Amino acid sequence: MILASVEAIAELFGSVGAQDYLGEPVTLAAHLLQTGALAEAAGASPSLIAAALLHDVGHLPGVGARTGRELMAGTDNHHAAQGAAWLSRLFRPPVTEPVRLHVAAKRYLCATEASYFARLSPASAYTLSVQGGPMSEAEARAFERLPFAAGAVAVRRWDDQAKNPEAALPDFAHFRPLLEKDLLRR
Ligand code: FE
């Protein structure tokens, strides 16, 4: 059962829809592996490495209802919530909450860090408007009080860096033991 769950994630990574990623120079699978690798290199906890690796599962076919292309076309974006809901069958909040909040973390950083917006990729700057734009002062204070806000911000920063087509990548198998350890036991 546990191995079957991780196998389902492995299959998603290898699936056709993992091949394109919202106008970025890397595939979605490469982007996720790179985000996970950055979290690991930063010495993040296993749960946060899992969150980094899985933060965009809501873009994978069969998980989220909307594709990346629909998002780029200006359709409302729910991939963070859809990804977290899908993952909640397998993982606890230390994994699912940073995933659910990673788009909110972008809106938070745009509101609170002057240089952050300028560093976003063109595709990510574009989708910000679809996602609600920078947070208001009140929204930012409310966000900071959420239990997994810091983890979500950390995932967001690795996410933003993980668009380098030249990066050497671990394969999905590298992360399997970590995911299997963090899975919900039923
Ligand atoms: Fe991402």
Side-chain angles (χ1 to χ4, degrees):
M1 173 61 188
I2 287 161
L3 286 178
S5 308
V6 174
E7 194 50 44
I9 298 172
E11 279 170 22
L12 282 173
F13 267 69
S15 65
V16 176
Q19 299 308 307
D20 67 325
Y21 178 48
L22 307 189
E24 302 288 1
V26 290
T27 67
L28 181 51
H31 169 63
L32 292 174
L33 292 168
Q34 205 178 332
T35 310
L38 287 166
E40 192 171 39
S45 70
S47 299
L48 204 55
I49 295 169
L53 176 72
L54 301 172
H55 75 275
D56 276 337
V57 290
H59 283 317
L60 292 167
V63 178
R66 289 168 207 272
T67 64
R69 277 201 193 85
E70 285 170 306
L71 173 61
M72 288 305 284
T75 315
D76 189 17
N77 172 31
H78 301 291
H79 82 277
Q82 288 171 339
W86 188 86
L87 288 170
S88 70
R89 296 178 301 176
L90 305 178
F91 298 100
R92 294 184 181 82
V95 177
T96 60
E97 281 298 281
V99 172
R100 188 175 70 82
L101 295 172
H102 83 276
V103 171
K106 170 178 158 183
R107 296 183 56 230
Y108 170 78
L109 286 166
C110 284
T112 56
E113 239 180 68
S115 61
Y116 179 79
F117 178 79
R119 295 200 305 272
L120 288 178
S121 68
S124 193
Y126 172 76
T127 54
L128 176 68
S129 59
V130 181
Q131 292 158 343
M135 282 183 174
S136 69
E137 180 70 27
E139 285 175 319
R141 297 293 85 82
F143 176 81
E144 284 165 354
R145 287 194 291 271
L146 297 174
F148 294 97
V153 166
V155 168
R156 186 74 229 179
R157 293 192 195 278
W158 297 317
D159 179 8
D160 294 327
Q161 290 171 49
K163 295 171 180 181
N164 175 8
E166 312 290 310
L169 293 177
D171 56 13
F172 182 80
H174 170 78
F175 294 104
R176 281 187 80 131
L178 174 147
L179 293 177
E180 282 158 15
K181 251 200 263 175
D182 229 311
L183 277 174
L184 284 173
R185 305 291 174 190
R186 300 197 189 226

